[in-house]
Amino acid sequence: MSKTLIVIAGPTGVGKTSVAIKLAKHFKTEIVSSDSRQIFKELTIGTAIPAKEELEQVKHHFIHSHSIHNNYNASRYENEALELLEILFQKYNTVVLAGGSMLYIDAICKGIDTMPDADPEIRAELKSRLETEGIESLRTQLKKLDPEYYQIVDLKNQARIIHALEICLMTGKTFTSFRSNPNKKRPFEIIKIALNTDRAELHDRINRRVDKMVKDGLEKEARNVYPYKYLTALNTVGYREWFNYFDGEISREEAIELIKRNSRRYARKQLTWFRKDETVNWFDPDQVEEIIAFVEHQISEK
RNA sequence: GGUGCCAUAGCUCAGUUGGUAGAGCAACGGACUGAAAAUCCGUGUGUCCUUGGUUCGACUCCGAGUGGCACCA
């Protein structure tokens, strides 16, 4: 019998956790998280990790498994999660992958190219050059080091330019030479489910969830990691707004409003990404029975 | 009950000496392979309250109505 990975994707706050748990219980299996922030043990309230009771019902992986103090990225996740899936599939015919980090889901389902991790020193140097010399200087260097990528890169997107440059500088090769646009074959079938509900309802859920986070002590949680605010892992909705408040730049009320707004925008961005994926099957978060029936039908056809 | 002021985008408000309108915020669409809850790009979405009148033409001027606010009773 072939192995099947059931992916539960969708915008933040739509209700992925609950659906994933019901599916995992139905298929008597475990859940692998594909959430790039729930992975950090220092973050609990602001990342809306599953509740204690939920975690007790079904075994979860990649929740609180890493630290914000160690750099993490989609490639590491690809390697670690695939390794884990290999083990889980020895035990189960289906495994549930649940989470909203678009690139992490793609890393599992399609794979991303192999290239070295960015050297923190080189990145820091490029960033400071961006400050002092401006983006044009970085563009000019990229044009010289990798003219092919220069043609296609978004020249206004500093993150992309910096990343391409750091790979060029570290390896002495072009960034393009690492880009093969892989569609890696996986030793399991993939069924992708994405959850969505009407926009007003989604916004309402997000707003209410943020209010609950604040009530549950999000401010204190943010205060605890405030000393490390420069870490990439903390450049995150629900934390950086508090840091701005702690720095005296905005009021507490503004911080909370901004967390809501930025969460809404993040949800929209996720929807844009998932919409583009033609392999996605859309459901309402209430349609658990339908999802189970759909998945079973898909499995039986394979 | 009387008088005055107001009514324009989802919200707060500009504006048009009469030629069907624009800011901020919110919202919406898109890009994306080691920062991805990141990073970047794009888009006004409108019965200018309703209804008569004047006018070649009314969102703008005039009358009436409706709703809101203020003051006087």
Side-chain angles (χ1 to χ4, degrees), chain A residues 32-215:
Chain A
V32 176
S33 166
S34 52
D35 187 301
S36 69
R37 302 297 173 200
Q38 291 183 358
I39 204 168
F40 296 119
K41 63 185 176 199
E42 293 86 354
L43 312 181
T44 299
I45 299 168
T47 57
I49 66 157
K52 208 171 141 211
E53 311 86 73
E54 293 176 317
L55 292 172
E56 280 163 2
Q57 289 177 52
V58 176
K59 173 104 175 124
H60 283 69
H61 302 270
F62 290 101
I63 301 274
H64 280 190
S65 54
H66 296 65
S67 168
I68 56 172
H69 299 290
N70 300 318
N71 286 326
Y72 203 71
N73 59 49
S75 178
R76 291 193 184 188
Y77 175 76
E78 177 184 358
N79 294 330
E80 291 176 14
L82 282 178
E83 211 171 288
L84 172 68
L85 284 173
E86 197 181 326
I87 294 166
L88 291 176
F89 276 129
Q90 287 170 16
K91 202 168 157 193
Y92 306 104
N93 285 324
T94 59
V95 172
V96 174
L97 184 82
S101 298
M102 298 85 77
L103 188 59
Y104 281 35
I105 295 172
D106 268 12
I108 297 297
C109 297
K110 298 194 247 178
I112 53 181
D113 279 315
T114 304
M115 60 182 82
D117 277 353
D119 180 331
E121 276 181 37
I122 293 183
R123 175 164 296 186
E125 192 202 312
L126 288 170
K127 274 169 122 170
S128 92
R129 267 185 54 203
L130 177 68
E131 292 288 313
T132 55
E133 300 171 26
I135 194 163
E136 191 51 43
S137 162
L138 300 184
R139 279 186 199 141
T140 306
Q141 189 177 19
L142 180 63
K143 193 171 185 178
K144 211 161 79 190
L145 295 181
D146 189 347
E148 200 178 335
Y149 188 61
Y150 182 84
Q151 289 300 315
I152 57 165
V153 70
D154 176 357
L155 287 170
K156 291 188 176 161
N157 194 328
Q158 46 210 342
R160 300 263 153 70
I161 291 178
I162 286 178
H163 182 233
L165 270 181
E166 61 198 10
I167 294 298
C168 294
L169 293 170
M170 284 169 64
T171 64
K173 296 193 220 165
T174 64
F175 180 61
T176 302
S177 66
F178 290 93
R179 286 165 53 88
S180 66
N181 196 11
N183 205 343
K184 296 180 190 163
K185 191 75 196 120
R186 300 307 189 193
F188 46 80
E189 303 288 335
I190 295 170
I191 299 174
K192 269 192 208 165
I193 306 291
L195 305 177
N196 195 200
T197 184
D198 74 72
R199 195 60 65 92
E201 165 70 13
L202 181 63
H203 285 181
D204 200 44
R205 292 177 76 133
I206 289 171
N207 295 339
R208 276 184 287 139
R209 189 166 79 163
V210 171
D211 284 331
K212 182 161 187 306
M213 287 175 177
V214 173
K215 210 170 125 226

